[in-house]
mmCIF file of all heavy atoms in Angstrom:
data_model
loop_
_atom_site.group_PDB
_atom_site.id
_atom_site.type_symbol
_atom_site.label_atom_id
_atom_site.label_comp_id
_atom_site.label_asym_id
_atom_site.label_seq_id
_atom_site.Cartn_x
_atom_site.Cartn_y
_atom_site.Cartn_z
ATOM 1 N N MET A 905 -72.436 92.748 172.776
ATOM 2 C CA MET A 905 -71.765 92.600 173.675
ATOM 3 C C MET A 905 -71.075 93.498 173.368
ATOM 4 O O MET A 905 -70.412 93.523 172.952
ATOM 5 C CB MET A 905 -71.258 91.524 173.873
ATOM 6 C CG MET A 905 -70.838 90.955 174.491
ATOM 7 S SD MET A 905 -70.405 89.892 174.641
ATOM 8 C CE MET A 905 -70.308 89.224 174.865
ATOM 9 N N LEU A 906 -72.033 94.298 172.572
ATOM 10 C CA LEU A 906 -71.438 94.876 172.559
ATOM 11 C C LEU A 906 -71.067 94.367 173.119
ATOM 12 O O LEU A 906 -71.181 94.747 173.377
ATOM 13 C CB LEU A 906 -71.121 95.583 172.641
ATOM 14 C CG LEU A 906 -70.555 95.882 172.616
ATOM 15 C CD1 LEU A 906 -70.404 96.195 172.722
ATOM 16 C CD2 LEU A 906 -70.298 96.268 172.232
ATOM 17 N N ARG A 907 -71.315 92.910 173.777
ATOM 18 C CA ARG A 907 -70.288 92.323 174.268
ATOM 19 C C ARG A 907 -69.544 92.610 173.361
ATOM 20 O O ARG A 907 -69.597 92.454 172.564
ATOM 21 C CB ARG A 907 -70.243 91.016 174.381
ATOM 22 C CG ARG A 907 -69.267 90.495 174.376
ATOM 23 C CD ARG A 907 -69.178 89.526 174.396
ATOM 24 N NE ARG A 907 -68.487 88.722 174.427
ATOM 25 C CZ ARG A 907 -68.320 88.363 174.350
ATOM 26 N NH1 ARG A 907 -68.776 88.705 174.324
ATOM 27 N NH2 ARG A 907 -67.664 87.613 174.346
ATOM 28 N N LEU A 908 -69.873 93.101 173.304
ATOM 29 C CA LEU A 908 -68.982 93.036 172.783
ATOM 30 C C LEU A 908 -69.033 93.730 171.719
ATOM 31 O O LEU A 908 -69.749 93.846 171.319
ATOM 32 C CB LEU A 908 -69.067 91.997 172.649
ATOM 33 C CG LEU A 908 -69.278 91.304 173.572
ATOM 34 C CD1 LEU A 908 -68.947 91.024 173.654
ATOM 35 C CD2 LEU A 908 -69.456 90.519 174.085
ATOM 36 N N PHE A 909 -68.228 94.280 171.046
ATOM 37 C CA PHE A 909 -68.782 95.034 170.127
ATOM 38 C C PHE A 909 -68.049 96.132 169.552
ATOM 39 O O PHE A 909 -67.891 97.059 170.126
ATOM 40 C CB PHE A 909 -69.729 95.637 170.841
ATOM 41 C CG PHE A 909 -70.005 94.633 171.700
ATOM 42 C CD1 PHE A 909 -69.155 93.864 172.350
ATOM 43 C CD2 PHE A 909 -71.119 94.174 171.931
ATOM 44 C CE1 PHE A 909 -69.569 92.883 173.155
ATOM 45 C CE2 PHE A 909 -71.456 93.222 172.733
ATOM 46 C CZ PHE A 909 -70.708 92.642 173.296
ATOM 47 N N HIS A 998 -78.945 96.845 165.494
ATOM 48 C CA HIS A 998 -78.697 98.175 166.062
ATOM 49 C C HIS A 998 -77.483 98.792 165.382
ATOM 50 O O HIS A 998 -76.845 98.153 164.539
ATOM 51 C CB HIS A 998 -78.527 98.127 167.580
ATOM 52 C CG HIS A 998 -77.397 97.275 168.085
ATOM 53 N ND1 HIS A 998 -77.377 95.915 167.972
ATOM 54 C CD2 HIS A 998 -76.247 97.605 168.724
ATOM 55 C CE1 HIS A 998 -76.269 95.431 168.528
ATOM 56 N NE2 HIS A 998 -75.556 96.439 168.983
ATOM 57 N N ASP A 1002 -69.968 96.844 165.177
ATOM 58 C CA ASP A 1002 -69.746 95.403 164.981
ATOM 59 C C ASP A 1002 -70.989 94.732 164.393
ATOM 60 O O ASP A 1002 -71.041 93.516 164.275
ATOM 61 C CB ASP A 1002 -69.321 94.720 166.299
ATOM 62 C CG ASP A 1002 -70.311 94.940 167.417
ATOM 63 O OD1 ASP A 1002 -70.940 96.017 167.472
ATOM 64 O OD2 ASP A 1002 -70.467 94.031 168.263
ATOM 65 N N HIS A 1003 -71.974 95.551 164.021
ATOM 66 C CA HIS A 1003 -73.187 95.045 163.365
ATOM 67 C C HIS A 1003 -73.399 95.692 162.006
ATOM 68 O O HIS A 1003 -74.058 95.134 161.142
ATOM 69 C CB HIS A 1003 -74.407 95.288 164.276
ATOM 70 C CG HIS A 1003 -74.241 94.618 165.610
ATOM 71 N ND1 HIS A 1003 -74.887 93.460 165.946
ATOM 72 C CD2 HIS A 1003 -73.419 94.908 166.652
ATOM 73 C CE1 HIS A 1003 -74.492 93.071 167.165
ATOM 74 N NE2 HIS A 1003 -73.599 93.940 167.605
ATOM 75 N N ASP A 1109 -77.929 92.198 170.616
ATOM 76 C CA ASP A 1109 -77.036 92.254 171.785
ATOM 77 C C ASP A 1109 -77.791 92.387 173.107
ATOM 78 O O ASP A 1109 -77.188 92.740 174.120
ATOM 79 C CB ASP A 1109 -76.077 93.448 171.640
ATOM 80 C CG ASP A 1109 -74.975 93.157 170.639
ATOM 81 O OD1 ASP A 1109 -75.000 92.077 170.012
ATOM 82 O OD2 ASP A 1109 -74.089 94.017 170.477
ATOM 83 N N HIS A 1151 -73.807 87.805 169.332
ATOM 84 C CA HIS A 1151 -72.496 87.380 169.853
ATOM 85 C C HIS A 1151 -72.686 86.030 170.501
ATOM 86 O O HIS A 1151 -73.607 85.844 171.285
ATOM 87 C CB HIS A 1151 -71.945 88.377 170.872
ATOM 88 C CG HIS A 1151 -71.660 89.714 170.270
ATOM 89 N ND1 HIS A 1151 -70.452 90.010 169.668
ATOM 90 C CD2 HIS A 1151 -72.421 90.819 170.140
ATOM 91 C CE1 HIS A 1151 -70.493 91.249 169.215
ATOM 92 N NE2 HIS A 1151 -71.675 91.766 169.476
HETATM 93 ZN ZN1 ZN B 646 -72.381 93.780 169.243
#
Side-chain angles (χ1 to χ4, degrees):
M905 198 176 248
L906 174 197
R907 153 184 182 219
L908 309 244
F909 327 45
H998 60 293
D1002 56 327
H1003 301 256
D1109 284 4
H1151 296 273

